[in-house]
Amino acid sequence: MTADAELRELIESFLGVRIRSLRAEPSPYATLFPAEIVSLELDDGRQLSLFAKHLGSEQSDHPEKQCRDREVRVYRDLFRDAALPVPAFVGSRWDARTERHDLFLEYVDGWNLKYHGVERWVDAARALGRLHAYFAGSELLDHPALLRFDQPALVEGARRALLSVRLAYPGLVGRLRAVVTRYEAGIDLIAAQPVTLVHNGCSPKNVLADGSRIRIVDWELAGVGCGLVDLMHLRHGLDEAGGEAMFTAYCEAVAGTDLLSPPGERVPLVAACELERLLHKFWRSRFWNTPATGVAGWLGEAEQHAERL
């Protein structure tokens, strides 16, 4: 059986329909893992496109990427509701020949938020809030594939950030150590929040806008934690007015859940979540070969957030 014939048979088993023709092309949006866009013509004449992602051993030394099929399990087991702002799950398989998990999803023909105006960023914040509200208090959060962003994990994240900066940018580690000392109160605040499903990397590049729809993609680091950390990742880079509009839309979407902290806690909680976002960047800085000037710029931002704690 040819590779195309095997792929056709596999997708037919997922969809429960016959395929008249199939064409698979490398996706221009593939990043860490190989990916393809699979264009189908069904026997009834309908046209359909799927996104095929091939999850392998890339970055297998990453401490949060030891569960190689996490993204498959999140789509298969957690994203069952078609109303969630994620691509629809079509099917998956383990391919012993390539030693990869093949994940087949709805293809979203849209641009990420970086190429849209602020109104679509606000829509994305609202969609993220709806997703967080859906999973707040859900028994689905007990899923064993999910990472746990509890107090020990937050403490470990700060330790890793300090280690990276000490090794690669020793002249800056003193400033970061002072920030982390202030952040200890922020760890307690984040860890005390009600939890939900979090993306753990919900940057604008991982949110696609397709017409009126918003789809959040790349769930390989999904976990359980404070939803506001996701929002801080998502709104980073907007001006103050845009960021406030996103925050308002998010709060409206999670209203009625216990995810909203009391108003008096929100300023320090947002500051703590911003620091959590930055500490991840400090940790990865030496692997990304970030220039010292860039790390120093992040430090200036971190010091401002630390003052608000």
Side-chain angles (χ1 to χ4, degrees):
M1 182 181 293
T2 67
D4 280 354
E6 182 181 356
L7 181 60
R8 180 196 302 251
E9 186 176 289
L10 178 68
I11 295 175
E12 285 179 340
S13 73
F14 293 151
L15 299 176
V17 297
R18 298 285 295 174
I19 296 172
R20 183 180 299 168
S21 65
L22 173 152
R23 184 178 73 258
E25 299 176 315
S27 170
Y29 307 113
T31 53
L32 180 61
F33 301 107
E36 297 167 325
I37 299 171
V38 183
S39 302
L40 309 172
E41 182 182 3
L42 308 183
D43 256 6
D44 60 10
R46 286 181 295 155
Q47 307 287 325
L48 182 66
S49 293
L50 305 179
F51 184 75
K53 189 173 183 178
H54 309 291
L55 304 167
S57 60
E58 289 83 351
Q59 289 191 346
S60 58
D61 58 342
H62 190 301
E64 294 175 354
K65 295 184 178 182
Q66 302 303 302
C67 180
R68 306 307 298 168
D69 64 341
R70 179 178 294 114
E71 188 168 23
V72 170
R73 297 164 73 182
V74 167
Y75 274 103
R76 183 192 65 204
D77 301 339
L78 304 186
F79 294 157
R80 303 169 183 167
D81 191 328
L84 290 172
V86 299
F89 174 72
V90 175
S92 64
R93 68 166 177 182
W94 165 252
D95 190 333
R97 292 172 303 178
T98 62
E99 296 188 333
R100 291 185 179 275
H101 294 276
D102 296 332
L103 174 62
F104 294 84
L105 303 170
E106 163 197 18
Y107 173 63
V108 181
D109 187 15
W111 295 96
N112 74 48
L113 287 185
K114 291 182 178 180
Y115 301 98
H116 290 274
V118 67
E119 69 282 353
R120 301 302 276 145
W121 292 60
V122 174
D123 291 342
R126 188 175 294 110
L128 178 66
R130 290 200 309 270
L131 185 143
H132 285 171
Y134 179 90
F135 285 100
S138 171
E139 62 183 16
L140 294 172
L141 298 180
D142 294 330
H143 196 290
L146 295 176
L147 293 162
R148 307 287 153 178
F149 300 109
D150 51 14
Q151 188 165 29
L154 297 172
V155 170
E156 173 62 14
R159 186 198 69 80
R160 293 189 308 211
L162 278 170
L163 176 62
S164 273
V165 172
R166 179 171 64 81
L167 291 175
Y169 315 94
L172 299 175
V173 71
R175 290 174 62 189
L176 182 59
R177 188 175 292 113
V179 167
V180 168
T181 298
R182 299 287 295 272
Y183 175 61
E184 290 173 0
I187 288 176
D188 293 339
L189 190 54
I190 293 173
Q193 301 306 307
V195 297
T196 186
L197 180 73
V198 293
H199 184 282
N200 189 30
C202 194
S203 63
K205 70 178 181 180
N206 288 328
V207 180
L208 304 179
D210 175 21
S212 63
R213 304 185 310 164
I214 296 291
R215 293 292 182 265
I216 304 171
V217 301
D218 289 344
W219 288 88
E220 67 223 38
L221 294 176
V224 178
C226 173
L228 273 181
V229 177
D230 272 354
L231 182 63
M232 296 307 105
H233 279 277
L234 183 60
R235 76 175 190 170
H236 181 67
L238 280 192
D239 59 20
E240 183 175 354
E244 284 301 314
M246 291 182 72
F247 189 84
T248 298
Y250 176 86
C251 290
E252 290 171 352
V254 300
T257 73
D258 61 357
L259 296 179
L260 278 181
S261 58
E265 282 186 7
R266 291 183 192 173
V267 170
L269 177 58
V270 167
C273 292
E274 290 278 24
L275 285 172
E276 170 60 17
R277 173 185 64 80
L278 284 164
L279 284 170
H280 177 82
K281 296 177 75 169
F282 288 125
W283 166 41
R284 300 304 295 170
S285 59
R286 67 187 175 105
F287 304 103
W288 296 337
N289 295 315
T290 307
T293 52
V295 177
W298 298 341
L299 264 171
E301 186 181 348
E303 287 164 343
Q304 291 179 19
H305 293 308
E307 288 294 324
R308 293 159 57 204
L309 286 171

